[in-house]
Structure formats: structure tokens, C-alpha cells
Amino acid sequence: MEMYGPYLELMKRDDGNIYIIPSGASHGFVKPANLEQGGWWIKRDVLRELDYPQPKTLDDYFDIIEEYTVANPQIDGGANTIGFTALTHDWRFFALSNQPNHLAGYPNDGGVMVDLETLDVNVYGNKPETERWLKKLNEVNAAGLFDQEAFTQNYDEYLAKITSGRVVGFFDYRWQVGQALDTLYQDENFYNDYMAFPVVFEEGIKDQYLDPVGFAASPGMGITAGTSEEDQVRIIKYLDHIAKEETQKLITWGGIEGETYEVEDDGRYYRTEEQIVETRNTEFRDEFGFSYFEWGWPRMNGLYADGNAVEPPKQPEVATMMYDEGDKEFLEAYGIETFTELFSEPDERPWFPAWDTPIETGTPAQLYEQQLDDLMKRKYPEIIFADPGEFDTLWEAYLGEFEGLPYEEYEQVIQESVERKVEIAEKSAEAAE
Amino acid sequence: MAGQTNALKSTSLTDAEPKGIKGFLKRCKQQQALLWMTVPFVIWVFIFKYLPVWGWSMAFQQYKPALSFTEQEWVGFKHFIFLFTDDRFLGVLRNTLAQSLINLVLGFVTAITLAVLINELSNMKFKRVVQTISYLPHFLSWVVAAALVSSVLSIEGIVNDTLTSLGLIDKEILWLGVGGEYFWGGILGVAETWKNVGWNAIIYLAAISMIDQEQYEAAKIDGASRIQRILHITIPGMKSVIIVLLIMNIGYILEAGFEPQYLLGNGQNVEYSENIDVFVIKYGISMFNFSLATAAGMFKTVISFIFLIAANSLSKKMGQGGLY
């Protein structure tokens, strides 16, 4: 239970009981070597051809896309180049609607912006940030750079499109587009891979694409009350065993010194080149048991008490050795050591992620979520595909409908949760002192 | 066995029996073998069709799965009011009816036509091949079928390719992205027809095979052409089957289907694709609002009932005989 120690209070629901054992817990922030969260991706081929530009603002980003697409209307001599595509299918619509938050320098807190100082919670669907984002997309569409199928393609079609190499750029979270990017990474050609940038509205805004240390209480396990008491105890014992640092090390590092990892004199863990190759091999992972236990909950992340990273690829000693020739070329071109070096460190946000707030069934706040989802899915395509001259009228129409939604109730629910989490964090900080 | 045949025989003699409670008991006794045979089915219907009606009580509660019946909060007609006052629900209802009617008409016309055409084929091998190919899509899951439909209709799909090369359209059209009435018939209707026409034709083919061959021979001798034989023998011969199916399908008028609308629907065509079932998933089940889903289901059942009775009595009035 040590692993969940700092979070015990957060796991409790209003009645003081713990209903779900969350899937994992973070201990300390480690900047990953490769981006795991959201970013503005551009195909490496494009970057190389345009002499390695580094987009900082939204305008920079789309200028790069425009420059390349105009010069190369077709890719690989057949298929038409798609300037910018978007993932909008079903529940993944947030991959298009979260951007105003990111562009304004907020992390992935879902549908709200939480002020760092005042802790004020605001929805942003009706804010100038959203207008600015949609206006940009509307312009991008008018310039012929926006994928016409962005709102009709499903998740698989979207992944296939990115894997095909026709897409110049897109915004997405690494874990969501992983299948496509991994496929591209595994082939010989390293120019068809994508590289991500932390783009913001204007220079001077500090980007917050990397997740702050947070604790999501909702994905996790509950044990059915129908299980016999004896079995319940056994299940808890098992989970307790898995949650021990010792066991976690066995799962993530493999646990056999000299075979799956090495230890420096000062206690730092690392892997030799052969070990890296071996532990990456799917067959070996299956045989050794990595694949079996890897995502078996509970799972720690961050740092162990001895300062080593929980996941080997996040240990700098391992990460830098994992880069291939192509990676190195681009790292060198941008003068960086790791791909996340371009991204800012996350500020401390004890409430993160705000989207983890439980929302009660049958409340206006819950209705708001569904109604907003419907409204955005209906109106965003209309606004983006419209003639630029009609943008203002359509935006006003959308705003009119948005104002009719019970968003204030929603803000209030999130507000309460944010304040509660901050309070708990402050208390435990005091206790530590 | 002997008792059964006795009972069967006696049913045809009931006309002469005495009336009233006494006569009823007597008839029951005579037909007891038949009555016993129906018992399992009555029990089955009761358990699976009548007991669940009890669940309708959920529509008047703010149902929470963990609580027992007596602990539920009663909210009266709240969920019905939510349904009927939501602006979108009217649109959703309109879509459901339109999609359903188009499916009904298209489904009937195409299946009957296909059955008649297959029946007219004299080459047995060709006949079987046509039949097999036409009913195969019925066994495809809608998930697969919808993926096929969306790739056919995509910007680089075969429909756009054909139309542009024929010069019928100048620029590719994103068919699934253009909201409009044409979604009902043009996409949904055609997709449903493609998927089900062969399957639906099977029952009509069976009906055709029941028609007495002598009628055709007699008509041939009298000099009736092929078209005349279809119009005056085949189609009238299928009439009773057509009417039974029509009445049953009218009862399902609010069941426009769920999967194709859900899978082919997107933000751009939502105003034409969303029907009651999709609405119920979004605002009922996926929000754990089971009460709302029940209310919508109840509404559908009541409407179906009205349509079924209306169609049945209409058909009786027109002298075609009804279901019951």
C-alpha cells in the first residue's frame, strides 16, 4: 500500500470510502525522452525539405504545412497530399476540441481551464480561445489544407491515413496515435516518421503539453461484493504484492541483473545495447513475461525511492541509447538531446487531471457533457467548412446554442473537485513537513 | 396419439356444441390434448414477454441499479416530458419515421421483384448463383458492412470515381458528410437493400413455389404472355404472404434499426441520421439513465401497437384478412 500512500485521501469518494483501486500511482516527475502526450506532429520528410524549421506558434505551424503542401501537391507520386487531418471519431472528439486549452498554455484538463493562481474553473467552448482555433481551421480549410474527411473518417481510417504517409501534420496524443507511429517507426525509412512540437497561440505562452504529476482515480479495479470474504482478502494480498517496489522493478526492469539490466556502482540502472535490443523484441517480451505483467495493474510510474525511473525507457541512460540513426539526425538538427526537450516542464497542478472528477448520473453537469459533445460534433464541421465570410455568423449561432447549456453547473462540480484535491495536497504537504 | 387425433377431429365439430360456461368446459375437455400442448408456450410468453413489462415501472423512477424497488425515487412523467420537450427529439422522430418508411417501401418492392425475377430464371445454376450472392451480405456484421459503405462513398471511393469519370459531377463529393434528406434513401435505404434484399426474397420465393403449376399451364394454353402470367398468377399468389409481412413490418415502424445509423452517422449528417435508438444510447444508456431509455422504449411499443392494430383492421376492411 506504500505505492498509493500519498493518494489515499484522493481515492476516497464523498462518503469517505474507497470504491476503486486505481490502476497506478505516480511518484515524482520524469521527463520522458519521447513524447507520450499531445503534440503538433509534422512529418520528418517535410522538416528535412524545409531545412528543419521549428514552429512555435499556431501560425508558424500552418505556414510550414502550407509551404510544403503547395510545393508538393502529391506525395510518393500518386496520392494527394493532406495538409492537416484530425481525429474526431466518437468519444475521441477531444483530439480536436482540446486544442484551445493547449494553445493557451493549459494541460489536458479536459473541457475546462483551471487558473493556476485563483483555481478558477472555466469551460472554454464559448471563449475567444475556441473562436481563434476554429477561425484558424476555417482559414486552413479555405486554403485547401484541411482534410475533407476529417469528420467522417473513423478511428481506423484515421490511423491508416497517417500510416500511409500522405498527411503533413496533425494534432494528437501519442498514446492515441501510437499504432500508426509505431508502424512508421519500425520500417527502414525514418523520414516517414513524425516529430512533435509544442505549439501555442503566441510566443511567450508557456506550453503545458507534458502531463503534470497527477493522479487519476477513475480507471482502476473494484472487487465485486459478491466475492467471498476469503477471496477478497486474497485478491488484496495479491494486489499488495504487485504494488511493492520490489515487484514493480521485477515487472519493469526484468529483475535479473546482468540479463535484463545492469547496475552502476552508484546504484543507477542501465541497459547495454544488446539488452535494449533484446528487451524490445516482442517474442522475448512474451517469453520473459514482460508482456504479461506490463499493464497488469496496479502499476507505478515516475521514480522509485532509489531515484531510478520506473520505466527503463524513461531512464536517461537507457533513453539516449534507444535512439536510432534517424532520431539522431533530427536531434542534432534541432540541437537537443531528447525529443521532449522542446517541451516545457509542467507546472505543479495538484488537481490534475480535472477530467477525472466523478460526475453524478442524472445531474445537469452530466447532461452538459453529452449535449456539448453533440453540439460540437454538429457545429464544428459546419463552422470549419464554411466560407470564411460566414464564419462570424456561424460562430454566433454556435455561441447562442452553447449559452443554453447548463455549463455553470458543470463548472461548479469541477470547481469543487479541484478545490478539494488542492486542499488534500496542501494538507499532506504540511504533514510531510 | 389417439387422443390427439380425436381432439383434432372434434375441433371441426364445435359449431354444434352448446354455448355458455358449460359448453366452454366441455370443449376444453374435448381439446385437452391441444391445450396441454400450448401450455409450455404460454409459460414462455409469460416469462419472456409479460414479466419484463414490469420493468416499465423504471420509466417513472429515477432508477438506480443498486437500490431495491421500494427505495427508488419516483419522478412521475419527468422522463417523458424530457423526451417530448427536447427540440431534438422531434427531429429524431422524423428521421426514424422517414428511414423506416423508406426501408419498408424499398425493402418490399426490391425483395418481391427479385423473387419474381429469380423464379422466372430457367437456368438452375445461374439461379442458385444469383440467390447465393444476393443473400450473402445479410450475414455480414453491420460493422463490416458500414466500413464497406463508407469506403465506397469516400472521396477516393468508387462512387466518386465513376461519377467524375462519367462527367456527372465536377468535384468529388463527400457523401457521408453532406447532411440532407438523401441520407435516408440514398445511403441508408440503398445500404439496407443491398444487405437484405436476397434474404427477404427467400420467403417470397417460398410463397411462389406454393402456387399451383397448373394455373401457369392453363394460362399458357390460353395465350397469356410471360408478363401477364407474372401479373395475374404469381403476384396474386403471393398476396397473402405480402400482407402478413406488411402488417408485421408496419408494427415495427419505429424500429428503423440502430447499427447502420450509429456507424454511418457523424457530426455532419447527424440531423438526418440520428434516430430514436441512437438517441436512447446517447442520452439514456451511455449516461446510465436507464429510466429515460425505458421511457423511450415504452413510447415505441405504444406506437407500434397502434400501427399494428390499425394496419390489421384496415386490411380486414379491405377484405384481405388480417393477422388475427
Side-chain angles (χ1 to χ4, degrees):
Chain A
M1 281 290 121
E2 228 170 273
M3 167 174 157
Y4 290 111
Y7 299 106
L8 275 180
E9 283 300 314
L10 288 174
M11 281 155 65
K12 290 181 184 163
R13 286 279 163 94
D14 297 341
D15 58 2
N17 290 327
I18 294 174
Y19 289 102
I20 293 173
I21 300 174
S23 55
S26 305
H27 288 251
F29 176 76
V30 192
K31 205 172 187 178
N34 291 302
L35 185 66
E36 294 171 331
Q37 295 302 322
W40 297 80
W41 302 86
I42 298 185
K43 199 175 170 187
R44 280 181 178 173
D45 217 7
V46 176
L47 296 171
R48 182 180 55 164
E49 199 167 314
L50 301 180
D51 202 22
Y52 309 103
Q54 187 185 339
K56 292 203 169 102
T57 67
L58 192 60
D59 292 333
D60 294 347
Y61 179 78
F62 280 111
D63 287 346
I64 292 175
I65 289 181
E66 182 158 19
E67 192 181 341
Y68 182 84
T69 314
V70 169
N72 303 277
Q74 290 185 327
I75 281 185
D76 299 337
N80 291 332
T81 308
I82 296 168
F84 186 81
T85 191
L87 173 58
T88 62
H89 186 244
D90 214 345
W91 63 274
R92 300 179 197 268
F93 194 82
F94 60 84
L96 184 81
S97 64
N98 270 355
Q99 278 89 327
N101 221 359
H102 288 303
L103 289 167
Y106 292 89
N108 179 11
D109 252 338
V112 292
M113 290 175 173
V114 186
D115 192 284
L116 253 183
E117 302 294 320
T118 63
L119 299 182
D120 255 351
V121 172
N122 278 301
V123 295
Y124 54 83
N126 55 348
K127 299 284 183 301
E129 284 87 354
T130 301
E131 185 182 0
R132 194 164 169 186
W133 165 234
L134 290 178
K135 196 166 174 75
K136 188 72 203 175
L137 283 182
N138 176 276
E139 284 164 16
V140 167
N141 178 60
L145 302 173
F146 190 75
D147 183 3
Q148 298 298 300
E149 292 179 338
F151 293 97
T152 52
Q153 65 193 354
N154 63 27
Y155 184 48
D156 291 331
E157 287 163 342
Y158 163 81
L159 290 179
K161 200 174 269 174
I162 288 173
T163 317
S164 77
R166 296 167 56 195
V167 180
V168 180
F170 61 93
F171 171 91
D172 204 351
Y173 299 91
R174 177 63 176 75
W175 50 266
Q176 194 158 235
V177 73
Q179 263 175 292
L181 295 183
D182 287 343
T183 311
L184 291 172
Y185 193 80
Q186 276 156 13
D187 70 2
E188 301 279 304
N189 179 359
F190 39 68
Y191 293 113
N192 65 7
D193 295 357
Y194 286 79
M195 181 171 167
F197 296 91
V199 169
V200 284
F201 274 132
E202 269 154 40
E203 277 190 63
I205 296 175
K206 184 180 174 192
D207 71 87
Q208 290 289 292
Y209 285 92
L210 302 183
D211 279 352
V213 174
F215 182 72
S218 60
M221 290 165 289
I223 301 168
T224 157
T227 323
S228 74
E229 206 177 308
E230 193 187 331
D231 284 344
Q232 287 184 21
V233 173
R234 284 170 64 199
I235 291 168
I236 295 286
K237 272 190 184 156
Y238 165 77
L239 295 177
D240 199 35
H241 177 70
I242 296 285
K244 280 183 200 148
E245 275 210 6
E246 204 188 321
T247 324
Q248 290 283 312
K249 275 186 190 169
L250 196 64
I251 292 170
T252 57
W253 283 88
I256 303 178
E257 198 185 323
E259 198 172 313
T260 53
Y261 72 105
E262 308 283 336
V263 186
E264 290 275 16
D265 296 336
D266 57 2
R268 294 291 293 172
Y269 290 8
Y270 69 98
R271 274 178 176 164
T272 64
E273 217 157 302
E274 294 86 64
Q275 284 167 352
I276 288 176
V277 174
E278 193 175 28
T279 50
R280 248 190 190 185
N281 180 310
T282 318
E283 260 171 56
F284 177 78
R285 298 186 73 82
D286 287 345
E287 206 177 303
F288 194 83
F290 279 120
S291 341
Y292 190 74
F293 286 105
E294 207 165 16
W295 294 110
W297 293 341
R299 169 76 182 269
M300 235 178 114
N301 49 60
L303 296 170
Y304 289 120
D306 61 12
N308 285 303
V310 172
E311 289 138 331
K314 284 194 185 170
Q315 185 90 328
E317 288 92 330
V318 177
T320 44
M321 282 179 79
M322 284 176 83
Y323 288 130
D324 67 14
E325 216 180 308
D327 293 331
K328 282 176 190 150
E329 182 185 327
F330 282 85
L331 287 169
E332 219 165 278
Y334 287 94
I336 46 179
E337 302 267 317
T338 64
F339 283 106
T340 45
E341 205 177 310
L342 298 171
F343 292 75
S344 307
E345 297 256 339
D347 291 324
E348 211 172 295
R349 293 170 202 263
W351 65 84
F352 184 85
W355 51 256
D356 187 45
T357 305
I359 297 202
E360 209 182 315
T361 306
T363 55
Q366 190 205 22
L367 194 63
Y368 163 80
E369 283 187 318
Q370 180 67 42
Q371 285 178 332
L372 174 68
D373 189 56
D374 276 343
L375 178 64
M376 291 191 303
K377 281 181 180 161
R378 194 155 41 90
K379 287 289 182 183
Y380 278 18
E382 208 179 303
I383 295 174
I384 293 167
F385 288 133
D387 187 88
E390 288 169 33
F391 178 84
D392 291 331
T393 341
L394 288 170
W395 169 254
E396 289 300 324
Y398 159 80
L399 214 53
E401 284 197 46
F402 187 94
E403 293 298 331
L405 302 181
Y407 64 87
E408 278 155 349
E409 278 94 334
Y410 180 76
E411 286 175 343
Q412 201 189 336
V413 172
I414 307 283
Q415 183 77 53
E416 278 163 17
S417 153
V418 165
E419 281 167 10
R420 185 175 149 255
K421 285 193 192 170
V422 171
E423 203 178 305
I424 294 170
E426 277 169 1
K427 258 188 214 156
S428 62
E430 275 168 29
E433 282 165 18
Chain B
M1 212 43 214
Q4 274 175 33
T5 39
N6 248 338
L8 285 172
K9 261 183 210 159
S10 57
T11 49
S12 54
L13 299 171
T14 48
D15 294 344
E17 296 297 322
K19 294 200 167 134
I21 192 90
K22 220 173 170 187
F24 175 73
L25 285 175
K26 197 174 175 194
R27 278 204 302 278
C28 281
K29 206 180 170 200
Q30 277 173 345
Q31 301 173 14
Q32 57 171 316
L34 283 175
L35 284 175
W36 281 118
M37 277 155 72
T38 60
V39 166
F41 300 102
V42 173
I43 293 174
W44 180 84
V45 168
F46 184 76
I47 292 177
F48 289 101
K49 300 284 166 185
Y50 282 88
L51 280 186
V53 174
W54 173 247
W56 279 9
S57 58
M58 272 164 64
F60 305 99
Q61 302 167 335
Q62 190 62 51
Y63 181 74
K64 285 195 175 140
L67 302 179
S68 77
F69 184 75
T70 47
E71 290 167 322
Q72 300 290 351
E73 182 194 342
W74 293 87
V75 294
F77 284 94
K78 183 184 148 196
H79 300 294
F80 292 92
I81 292 168
F82 174 84
L83 272 186
F84 297 119
T85 52
D86 192 351
D87 307 335
R88 297 224 343 251
F89 191 72
L90 277 183
V92 163
L93 202 59
R94 174 202 66 174
N95 291 344
T96 312
L97 285 172
Q99 291 169 359
S100 208
L101 271 177
I102 289 175
N103 279 346
L104 192 72
V105 174
L106 265 184
F108 266 85
V109 172
T110 52
I112 293 169
T113 314
L114 182 72
V116 169
L117 291 179
I118 288 180
N119 185 56
E120 292 298 317
L121 285 174
S122 50
N123 181 338
M124 278 307 279
K125 243 188 200 152
F126 185 63
K127 193 170 168 174
R128 287 207 183 113
V129 169
V130 168
Q131 223 186 326
T132 310
I133 291 176
S134 66
Y135 78 60
L136 268 184
H138 175 80
F139 298 101
L140 281 184
S141 148
W142 258 116
V143 177
V144 178
L148 283 176
V149 171
S150 89
S151 81
V152 162
L153 293 174
S154 73
I155 287 192
E156 281 141 11
I158 190 168
V159 172
N160 273 316
D161 274 0
T162 316
L163 290 179
T164 40
S165 63
L166 287 175
L168 290 173
I169 47 174
D170 313 324
K171 202 180 168 287
E172 291 88 358
I173 296 175
L174 184 60
W175 298 101
L176 283 175
V178 199
E181 284 83 358
Y182 96 101
F183 181 85
W184 299 329
I187 293 180
L188 214 58
V190 170
E192 288 266 8
T193 305
W194 159 70
K195 199 162 177 304
N196 291 324
V197 64
W199 181 257
N200 293 340
I202 290 176
I203 196 157
Y204 296 113
L205 277 170
I208 293 172
S209 72
M210 303 288 284
I211 299 172
D212 193 350
Q213 287 302 312
E214 281 176 23
Q215 288 187 39
Y216 288 102
E217 279 158 27
K220 238 188 229 170
I221 292 165
D222 288 344
S225 71
R226 208 163 181 178
I227 302 290
Q228 280 170 326
R229 290 202 299 271
I230 292 174
L231 286 179
H232 299 291
I233 301 175
T234 314
I235 297 210
M238 295 154 74
K239 204 167 72 183
S240 57
V241 174
I242 294 176
I243 285 173
V244 168
L245 286 178
L246 196 63
I247 293 174
M248 282 167 61
N249 279 316
I250 285 175
Y252 288 121
I253 195 86
L254 288 186
E255 308 276 346
F258 164 70
E259 287 131 310
Q261 287 85 349
Y262 187 74
L263 294 164
L264 295 173
N266 57 55
Q268 285 173 275
N269 62 24
V270 67
E271 280 169 57
Y272 295 90
S273 65
E274 193 172 62
N275 66 12
I276 294 185
D277 290 349
V278 177
F279 185 84
V280 164
I281 283 279
K282 274 192 193 163
Y283 283 87
I285 295 166
S286 71
M287 286 171 66
F288 301 107
N289 192 347
F290 300 113
S291 298
L292 182 73
T294 314
M298 248 179 98
F299 167 70
K300 265 168 52 179
T301 310
V302 171
I303 298 290
S304 298
F305 209 64
I306 294 171
F307 270 97
L308 186 72
I309 292 175
N312 195 52
S313 64
L314 203 69
S315 137
K316 268 194 206 158
K317 273 208 185 104
M318 282 161 40
Q320 303 294 353
L323 267 184
Y324 49 86

